Structures are given as C-alpha cells and as structure tokens.
Amino acid sequence: HLEGKHAAILDSTGLAQKGGEVLSHVRLSPTLAELRTGHIITGGADLLLACDIVSAAGKASHETLNRERTRAVINTDNAPVAEFVTRNDMDFHQDNLKKNLMEYTNPAHQHFIPATEYATALMGDEIATNIFMLGYAWQKGLIPLSRTSIERAIELNGVEIDSNKKSFNYGRLAAHDPARIESLIAAAHEVPGAEKPSQSLADLISRRMDYLKSYQNAAYARRYKALVDRVAAAEARLRPGSTALTEAAARYYHKLLAYKDEYEVARLYTDGAFMKALKAQFSGSYKLTFHMAPPIFEKEDPATGRPKKRAFGPWMMTALAVLAKFKVLRGAPLDPFGHLADRKEERALIGEYEALVETALSALSAPNFDLCVEILSLPDMIRGYGPVKAGGIKKAKLQEKILLARLAGGAKISSRAA
C-alpha cells in the first residue's frame, strides 16, 4: 500500500517511490540474489507510476527513465505544494511536464489519467489516489505481482482494508473499461443538492445574489446587483455582446462583499451543509475538534509571527450556532468584531472597489477596454487570511496604482487625439 503522494518507478527487479524531495526505491524480484542493491540504476526503470506529475518530472526520478524501457502511468491532477498557499495562481507548466515525460518514456505505454479526480469522486477522499493508480497499473500488466499478493499486503497493513481494496479495484476498472468508470464518475457527481458550475453570466450573478442574501440580507444582495448592472449597461453600450467586464465585476465585487469573518465562519459550520458532508464521508463514532484563533484569545506564535491557534471541543458547534444569528451586527456600531484591523480593512476594500469601478467606467473606451477588465479583476490578487491576505492587499494596491496610471495616460492621449 503506497501512502502519501508518490511517483513510483519499477524496473525488472524494483519499485521506487517519490514524494516531494524524497525518493526511495522498492525493488521486486522472485529471488533474493537479484536484490543486491535497493537503488535503480540510471535508465533502469521499467515503470514510472507517478501519483504527482510535478514530482515525476524531477531530476531524481527522471534519471531512471529510458525511452525504450520505461512504461508510464501518470496522474494528471496536480498535488498542491507548500508555496501554493501564498501563490495559488502559480503555473505548474503541466503541458511541458507531460511533454517531457512522454519524450523519456515508451510511447507505446504512456497512460495519463486524472486519478485524484476519479479517486475523490468514487471514494470521497483523494488519499485513495495512490492505491487507485496501483490498481490501474496492475490491470495494464505493469506490476509483476499477483492480485492475491497485493490484496494480502493491504490486509496485513491493517488500515482501511475494505476501502483500499475497493480503490484498487476501481483503478483496475478504469484501465479495463474507461467508459464504465466515466459513467460512475458522472453518477458520483450527480449528488442531490450538489451545486453545479454556473452555466451563464446570469446564473453566476443570480447565485451570488442568493449567497449574499444568506451571508447578510436581501438589501446587501441588491447593492451587489446595482453595481453589476451599471457595469453591464456600460459594457453593452461600448461593446454589444461582450460580457468580460461585467463578469469581472460580478466575480470580484462579490468576493469583497462576502469576506470571511467570524459570523460567516459560524454560518458555514452550522447551516447544515457541513454536517451533511461530514456524515456522508464518516460513519460511526467520531469527535469534532476545532483549531481556531479567535480574536478574543488571539496570541502570536513566536515561531511564525502569526496568530496561534487553539483547539476547541465539540461544544464549539453550539457557540457557532449562536454566533451565526448575530450576523445582523456585521459592520454596525455594536459589532464586537468591527473594531478589528482586518475587519476595518475588509470593509474599506468594498468602498474602494466601488470607487474603482466608477473610475474605470468614466474612462471606459474601446482602446482601454482590456485594461478596465484588468482593473476590475484586481481583487483576484487578494487571497488567504491574516498576513497572507495582507500581503495580497499590498500587492493589489500597488498594481492598482500602475493600472490607473496607464488608464489616466491613455485618457490624456485620447483627449489630445480628439
């Protein structure tokens, strides 16, 4: 049973697993005499079993590949790295990685599958990815072990035995009958009440209005709609049929309006959806523990300089249910959290964006249309919480100055040209 995120390499006598910067070699052989060393020599791999395409293309695993010899089963879903926390728009250059791996593995035996997506949809947890891929590779005849041996190893491991066997067999099915596994994935996504991606701009706006009604109230949703409508009207006059500017406003104004504060965290935990999802994934007896850094208890972690979280027991659900009812105080004089620096800044960002939209609309023209779309999309740079969010705000405001200078410069040029 492979645990964690790995790229696995199999030569005639061995299997190597890679996770992050760690590379280990596991060699398989019918005789002990052939297991002289655990290391797979350069170009000596028969199979690249890559549960993380980014790691698979790393130097340590790459040097074992051989275009004539190495067959490949590769997960096309990216595994987030630590840097993704602060740079979640980073480009993994997946097309280049895939091209590189295709160049250095046997063209007749290259299998690229969205294993994490499949395993998560079918098993409810991406941890099933690795055993799913093992099943896929085995069904393709690339693992020199009997099915009985692998299932016995799962039993001896003693962890989620039935679940791991099921994941293994799902992987086998994906290799044997791709159409069948696709139908099962489609059925798994058809969960009653599950939210599907917006099908149109009107749908996107309608959903965000519904969200804001739950977040605060109907008046808050109307405030959102009024600004989006102004942008839509301006765009329609300038460029009939275009929706890029309106979509930017619809997405990012909502993002600022629906900032994640104490009341919203409480609402999301207690509106029923969280418990429903929890019960769908876990059964039997379990205990909830919340790791939070409430402002009233906030202490700075000396090691990181960030708020230090504390553990709270199941009683926190009751406290959160009570707190959620007080969302009417959000931003009001009696809001106990309203004086916090983060909350003040979040409220200020909303007003600043509204002013930014007016500035962009007043200067909107055919030559600067794309620039205005970029200006209205600036909140996309603001992500995360605490220090991470503060850094994003700083970058967004710096970029705003640059873009507004370009907008003003373009307006002067257009005026002189006229």
Side-chain angles (χ1 to χ4, degrees):
H1 176 45
L2 306 180
E3 297 181 356
K5 291 291 182 185
H6 309 284
I9 306 164
L10 182 67
D11 71 355
S12 59
T13 58
L15 181 72
Q17 306 173 77
K18 186 177 188 302
E21 296 300 321
V22 178
L23 179 70
S24 59
H25 296 241
V26 180
R27 297 165 60 86
L28 307 175
S29 172
T31 62
L32 185 62
E34 294 184 14
L35 298 177
R36 297 180 299 277
T37 174
H39 185 73
I40 296 175
I41 63 173
T42 299
D46 280 330
L47 172 66
L48 170 67
L49 182 58
C51 297
D52 175 7
I53 192 171
V54 177
S55 296
K59 180 180 179 181
S61 58
H62 197 277
E63 65 183 10
T64 67
L65 305 182
N66 183 308
R67 182 174 174 81
E68 302 299 324
R69 179 175 186 172
T70 309
R71 294 155 291 178
V73 177
I74 299 172
N75 179 16
T76 57
D77 293 323
N78 287 325
V81 295
E83 189 179 3
F84 194 73
V85 174
T86 55
R87 288 186 56 214
N88 50 8
D89 59 347
M90 66 188 301
D91 185 358
F92 288 98
H93 302 288
Q94 183 155 324
D95 289 341
N96 290 337
L97 294 175
K98 184 176 179 179
K99 181 179 179 181
N100 180 272
L101 291 171
M102 290 178 72
E103 183 178 349
Y104 287 91
T105 55
N106 191 314
H109 299 281
Q110 295 170 338
H111 308 278
F112 292 88
I113 53 173
T116 301
E117 177 192 342
Y118 284 2
T120 303
L122 296 168
M123 299 301 298
D125 195 331
E126 68 174 37
I127 196 65
T129 299
N130 301 332
I131 197 72
F132 176 94
M133 291 194 67
L134 185 66
Y136 189 101
W138 185 89
Q139 188 67 27
K140 289 293 184 181
L142 305 178
I143 304 290
L145 293 171
S146 69
R147 189 183 72 181
T148 302
S149 296
I150 294 176
E151 291 181 343
R152 181 55 180 157
I154 292 173
E155 293 169 357
L156 291 174
N157 191 54
V159 178
E160 298 292 339
I161 296 172
D162 291 339
S163 178
N164 279 317
K165 285 184 177 180
K166 190 174 182 180
S167 298
F168 179 76
N169 286 323
Y170 271 135
R172 293 178 57 213
L173 181 61
H176 174 70
D177 190 348
R180 175 58 177 159
I181 207 72
E182 286 287 351
S183 68
L184 291 176
I185 296 296
H189 285 310
E190 289 293 332
V191 178
E195 188 170 305
K196 300 178 182 179
S198 298
Q199 300 300 308
S200 65
L201 177 58
D203 186 29
L204 183 150
I205 294 171
S206 177
R207 288 188 180 199
R208 278 156 176 74
M209 287 187 68
D210 289 340
Y211 189 98
L212 291 173
K213 288 176 186 176
S214 299
Y215 177 89
Q216 186 68 13
N217 52 39
Y220 205 58
R222 288 194 296 271
R223 176 181 175 181
Y224 165 78
K225 184 67 161 51
L227 182 139
V228 173
D229 284 348
R230 276 182 48 74
V231 175
E235 183 172 21
R237 287 193 297 269
L238 178 69
R239 188 176 289 189
S242 172
T243 61
L245 192 68
T246 306
E247 183 171 340
R251 288 185 183 280
Y252 299 115
Y253 185 40
H254 172 271
K255 178 178 181 177
L256 296 178
L257 285 170
Y259 58 88
K260 192 75 67 69
D261 62 3
E262 292 75 13
Y263 303 113
E264 180 64 351
V265 170
R267 184 185 75 84
L268 293 175
Y269 267 123
T270 60
D271 68 355
F274 170 71
M275 290 304 300
K276 184 178 180 180
L278 201 65
K279 290 176 181 178
Q281 186 167 355
F282 300 99
S283 60
S285 178
Y286 54 82
K287 177 183 177 181
L288 294 179
T289 301
F290 298 84
H291 295 269
M292 299 178 169
I296 56 176
F297 301 122
E298 191 172 289
K299 291 184 178 180
E300 188 177 283
D301 188 329
T304 64
R306 298 184 177 184
K308 189 174 184 179
K309 292 184 178 181
R310 296 178 53 185
F312 299 89
W315 62 268
M316 181 56 74
M317 280 296 284
T318 301
L320 291 172
V322 173
L323 179 60
K325 297 180 184 299
F326 285 89
K327 67 179 183 179
V328 294
L329 297 177
R330 180 184 283 122
L334 295 179
D335 182 359
F337 307 106
H339 68 283
L340 297 174
D342 287 350
R343 303 296 162 259
K344 288 181 179 179
E345 186 163 44
E346 286 160 342
R347 293 197 300 272
L349 286 173
I350 295 171
E352 290 168 5
Y353 187 78
E354 291 168 342
L356 188 65
V357 169
E358 296 304 321
T359 299
L361 293 184
S362 66
L364 183 63
S365 65
N368 68 25
F369 180 83
D370 290 339
L371 176 60
C372 287
V373 172
E374 192 175 352
I375 289 172
L376 266 56
S377 302
L378 280 168
D380 189 39
M381 300 177 69
I382 304 172
R383 307 181 184 187
Y385 303 94
V388 173
K389 185 172 187 177
I393 292 173
K394 185 177 180 180
K395 291 179 181 178
K397 289 187 174 182
L398 178 61
Q399 183 66 7
E400 179 184 323
K401 290 181 180 179
I402 295 172
L403 296 181
L404 288 179
R406 286 172 53 192
L407 185 67
K412 291 176 182 178
I413 293 172
S414 298
S415 178
R416 287 198 296 271

